[in-house]
Amino acid sequence: MTNTPVRAPAAGELLAPVSKEGQAFLDLLAVHIPYVREVSGAHDRDGTFPFEVFDRFRTSGVLAATVPAELGGLGVSHMHDVALALRTLAEFDASVALALHMQLSRGLTLTYEWRYGAPEAQSLAERLMRSVGEREAIICGAVKDAPRATTRLTPAPGGGWLLNGRKTLVSLAPAATHFAVYAEVHVDEEPLRLAAPVLTRQTPGLTVLDNWDGLGMRGSGTVDIVFDNCPIAAEDVLPRAAVGARQDAVLAGQTVSSVTMLGIYAGIASAARNVAVDWTVRRRVDPGAAVRTLLAEIEARLFALRSSAAAALRNADELAFDFSVDADERGRRMMTPFQCAKLMVNQLASDIVDRCMTVVGGASFSARHPLARHYRDVRAGRYMQPYTYVDAIDYLSGQVLCFDQDNDYVSARAIRARREPSP
């Protein structure tokens, strides 16, 4: 059998950057790949966070990739190129890619606030991104409330706010210096609204727990954070929409903050495909019809996966700064292709890994086999907002049927929590 030929990249397949900044980021990331690969297995086995990797990322500027050049970063602004970088990294360690996604997505969303937000938001965004550009801050987002917990901002005596609650599944939290937290704002006799307070790790009352023991993404540091009367200055709070406002404009920001994660699952699928192909080549015998059929199906599915992701990313890049479109319509036009692609990427990536295990056979059922890890890691995609699989079905079917529904999943959850009986 001859070696597998190198296939030229097809257009729109998430295989090459679309900007010089994206290429610079890939070149910088490539320097770190050998070390990431070296320590990856141990962190996965032990379920530990790779602090040493992120220290290297911080000092070299990887963590500042999506910060504008004027503020000390690389200035990567195309979501396509961020997803491509995550795809490249995820081929070697999906946990590290997931944690890095948390930081890079903050750069993308804060850049928008810096350029187009209200003066207070611009000031906060600039302050945070300058700190990232100076190789100091590591910022992660905390969105999902822990079961039976509601994270709330309430007015503090003398001014400012107090934050109470608990967030769960916060990747990158062990290394983060700052947290951008989704919270409900509770003020007497005022409508319930949402906000994103930003607080440092040293804030009194903030506790980062060491409670991650995931099935997959074991090195991602996806832990819980507890807030107990954490004081927050008024200038450190980014206002968001009112609960139940049904403002689809917010879907644009949610797309920007999350669509690049498609690259992570494209990377896992690519890595699994390479394992199956390498195993077949090393056997040095002609594969039977069943193996050849499986490899053909894997290749076709990988093409479909990458193409779907690339199309959604290009759409998001084109609409992100297009203000000629109605804000609500723009939000839907960004979110809907993202959700179509996410649905397909999650399904296809899992299917690809499963077929690769079938090609390799029983050896892949060993816990330390690369495909076993890919099998565990790839399943995380269905649980990530926006939207989880169940929420995505509700959203997409609602768009098809023109339902009048609240598409902001944070707002919808806040309303739903008030309808559920107390435990």
Side-chain angles (χ1 to χ4, degrees), residues 338-351:
F338 169 30
Q339 289 310 307
C340 288
K342 186 172 183 292
L343 201 65
M344 296 310 301
V345 166
N346 289 340
Q347 291 177 349
L348 289 169
S350 293
D351 185 67

Side-chain angles (χ1 to χ4, degrees), residues 141-225:
V143 178
K144 182 177 175 57
D145 282 332
R148 296 183 175 82
T150 300
T151 306
R152 303 182 178 189
L153 275 176
T154 55
W161 301 92
L162 294 175
L163 182 67
N164 285 278
R166 177 168 176 162
K167 293 296 185 182
T168 191
L169 300 176
V170 185
S171 301
L172 183 60
T177 62
H178 294 71
F179 301 90
V181 183
Y182 251 99
E184 296 181 5
V185 180
H186 288 250
V187 179
D188 290 343
E189 299 181 2
E190 289 188 11
L192 188 64
R193 54 192 175 90
L194 300 170
V198 179
L199 57 166
T200 69
R201 194 183 193 91
Q202 289 73 37
T203 301
L206 186 152
T207 304
V208 178
L209 301 181
D210 181 15
N211 65 331
W212 178 238
D213 188 19
L215 173 68
M217 299 294 191
R218 289 180 52 76
S220 62
T222 305
V223 300
D224 285 15
I225 308 174

